[in-house]
Structure formats: structure tokens, C-alpha cells
Amino acid sequence: YEHELQDGMIEASTGTITVDTGKFTGRSPKDKYFVQQEPSASELWWGPVNKGIDVGVYNKLQKKVLDHYAKAPKIYVFDGYVGASLASRKMVRFITEIPWQHHFVTNMFIRPQSEEELVGFSPDFTVINAAHVSNDEWKADGLNSEVFVAFNVEESQALIGGTYYGGEMKKGIFAMMNYWLPLKGIMTMHCSANVGPDGETALYFGLSGTGKTTLSTDPDRQLIGDDEHGWDDHGIFNFEGGCYAKTINLSEDTEPEIFHAIKRDALLENVEIDPSTHKVDYFDTHKTMNGRVSYPIHHIPSFQPDS
């Protein structure tokens, strides 16, 4: 929190840090790449969503990122988990140089409950976010733009450059869960989920912005999660430790649980605040229609603790 304020972030009247992610207020799917090499090449569904790059291009981007980090004045490291089911949980590490990006992944992934858990922590996958780094040789490399979100499955690593949007880290790990879990016979789902008093689980499928978070956040049902889930022999489980809600036209009357989740430890992205009062205006969308808030799932009183 103190690091964010020192970095120029603004605290809203809700006690929430607010950030502006620059020209990218959403993900950049045309700039996502996977290194084409075995054995993962035989398992990936290649096409406009999963585009291939040569390992030499990846290594070039990696050197650019590591050279940049060698001069970084501060580095933030988050070690945590993706997947509530211990049978398929993965240990993930995020390396960032921007404090609010560290805050974002701390909100969105499953947090260790003690320092003892981190003794001997060995990540299954590492994401290095070098948002300040762009690839000015993208045309020669055969890429779409100076932005890159590049995965090397065999090296258990991803590189992000040229975009500050936090959702690239969240969805990057979701992409990897979509690779790992089906190989174990576990279904991965882009949906929200909650469970009623009778123990029956409801799943809400839909593209981003279609109401998954809103529909699953119900005071009369326990929230399992709002976006990414797995389905194994033991049932439905959340991948994440937080929620990522759209804030457009948000009000206490229409979405009270989400409205009240926006407090200290939540993180507002690309929303307008009054420069004098720091009051948030969720109805002002001149920056983007995709204003967002990330918050730990326990900000929702009816969340299911073991989900």
C-alpha cells in the first residue's frame, strides 16, 4: 500500500488504490504466443488464439526482459497458488517491478497462509512482467506488435511486455491451467459458480462482461468463484483467490455485495475519481467501458472458504 502511494497511485475515498493501465484497458489477445516445441506443440490447439513463435524469438525477448530487470531499482515477487483442489494445484510465481501489479496478483491468486508455507517454495510456473519493455523489432520477429505475452511451456515461464493491463497475468495462468488440467482428465471452465443451501452448485457461463460475477455474488448462496473453475471427480473448485468485477454503472442498490467489497485491499483499474474529493464515479466511462476492481474473495461475506 505504501509502495503504491510512493509510486504515484491515488487512494480513493473508499480506501482503495486506483490505477490507470495506460492505452491498454483490456487484454491484447493478438499478441499472445506459445513457443512451438515438443512435447507441448502436440497438445496445443494452434490458431488465432494460440499462435506459435520460434524458440529463438522467445529467447531474444527473454534476454531483453532480463537485461531490463538487471537495472530495476525494485523488484516485487509474489509466491502463491492457482487451484483450490490440492490434487491439481500449481505453485506460481509472479515477478513485477510495479507495486500495484504485485497487489493485483496478491488479490487474484490463492495466498499462502503462513511464512512456513514458503520455505522451499519451488514454482511450477513463473510469470515475469516487464510492462516497461516493448519489442521494437516486432516486425522482423514476425509478431503482431511491440506488445508480447509469450509462453514457454517447457521452461515453465511466461514473459509480458509492452502492456500494463493486470488481466494479462490472470488470464495467462488460466491459459496454462487450460493446458495442464485436461491432460489429467480435469475439465476447465470459464464460468462463475456458487452453491445453494441444498448443496446444489450453479455454474454461470459467459464471455467477459456478461454478468458472471454479478450473478454468482448472491447473499443467499455461497460464492465458489467468479470466473475460472475446474471440475474433477470431487466436484467444482475455484482456481483463484479473488474476484475481478466490472465496475460500469456499479451502485449499492443494484450490486450491494460487490459495491461493499471495494474497500482497503481492493484495487480499482481505469475508473474515474474526483480530483478533489477522490470519490469514485462508476458511471463515467470516458476512459473505458471496461473499468474493473480486483478484491480478495473474502471481501464477499458469503464466500465458501474451502472452494
Side-chain angles (χ1 to χ4, degrees):
Y1 177 79
E2 291 78 11
H3 286 238
E4 288 169 315
L5 293 178
Q6 291 169 9
D7 204 42
M9 301 300 100
I10 298 173
E11 180 183 4
S13 59
T14 56
T16 308
I17 293 293
T18 65
V19 300
D20 187 317
T21 63
K23 68 177 182 178
F24 291 102
T25 59
R27 288 181 292 118
S28 188
K30 293 182 179 180
D31 296 299
K32 187 174 79 171
Y33 308 95
F34 287 82
V35 175
Q36 284 188 297
Q37 59 190 1
E38 296 297 342
S40 61
S42 298
E43 304 292 349
L44 285 165
W45 187 355
W46 299 103
V49 175
N50 298 322
K51 295 185 291 187
I53 57 170
D54 182 78
V55 67
V57 174
Y58 183 89
N59 290 341
K60 177 181 173 182
L61 295 174
Q62 183 187 59
K63 183 178 186 306
K64 186 183 291 283
V65 166
L66 296 181
D67 286 349
H68 173 78
Y69 262 96
K71 302 173 184 176
K74 291 181 181 178
I75 298 175
Y76 300 88
V77 178
F78 170 80
D79 287 341
Y81 311 104
V82 57
S85 172
L86 297 179
S88 55
R89 169 177 286 185
K90 297 292 184 179
M91 294 188 286
V92 290
R93 172 171 290 165
F94 291 89
I95 300 172
T96 63
E97 59 177 323
I98 301 172
W100 75 256
Q101 291 183 337
H102 179 79
H103 183 172
F104 177 84
V105 294
T106 301
N107 278 353
M108 293 310 305
F109 290 88
I110 298 173
R111 297 160 291 279
Q113 297 303 300
S114 68
E115 292 186 3
E116 287 72 19
E117 279 187 60
L118 296 176
V119 175
F121 186 94
S122 179
D124 296 300
F125 201 83
T126 299
V127 177
I128 307 175
N129 191 322
H132 294 313
V133 176
S134 296
N135 180 22
D136 54 3
E137 298 178 344
W138 61 273
K139 288 184 179 179
D141 293 333
L143 305 183
N144 175 69
S145 77
E146 73 277 5
V147 176
F148 54 92
V149 182
F151 298 79
N152 189 322
V153 177
E154 278 64 36
E155 280 198 16
S156 302
Q157 184 185 89
L159 309 171
I160 299 173
T163 173
Y164 293 84
Y165 186 64
E168 294 288 7
M169 296 181 286
K170 165 185 159 63
K171 288 299 186 183
I173 292 297
F174 186 44
M176 289 307 305
M177 291 295 272
N178 285 328
Y179 173 81
W180 290 317
L181 267 59
L183 295 176
K184 294 185 174 183
I186 300 171
M187 186 176 179
T188 56
M189 301 175 292
H190 183 204
C191 69
S192 61
N194 61 22
V195 60
D198 57 1
E200 292 294 322
T201 300
L203 303 178
Y204 306 85
F205 289 88
L207 297 175
S208 294
T210 55
K212 296 187 300 298
T213 302
T214 301
L215 290 170
S216 59
T217 306
D218 184 332
D220 297 320
R221 299 175 64 85
Q222 285 193 305
L223 175 65
I224 297 175
D226 82 320
D227 193 51
E228 303 171 4
H229 292 83
W231 191 342
D232 62 13
D233 292 338
H234 305 289
I236 308 298
F237 60 96
N238 194 3
F239 287 170
E240 301 180 292
C243 301
Y244 198 34
K246 292 196 75 166
T247 58
I248 183 172
N249 298 335
L250 177 67
S251 73
E252 185 176 16
D253 292 334
T254 58
E255 299 175 81
E257 290 79 23
I258 296 173
F259 186 87
H260 289 293
I262 302 175
K263 55 188 178 181
R264 180 69 178 265
D265 291 339
L267 180 68
L268 285 163
E269 287 182 9
N270 301 316
V271 299
E272 294 302 315
I273 66 170
D274 186 284
S276 300
T277 65
H278 289 189
K279 185 177 180 180
V280 182
D281 184 353
Y282 299 118
F283 293 85
D284 185 339
T285 58
H286 82 269
K287 166 73 176 178
T288 179
M289 302 278 284
N290 194 39
R292 293 271 182 170
V293 61
S294 68
Y295 49 85
I297 195 170
H298 59 75
H299 279 204
I300 301 298
S302 60
F303 85 103
Q304 188 180 63
D306 61 351
S307 65

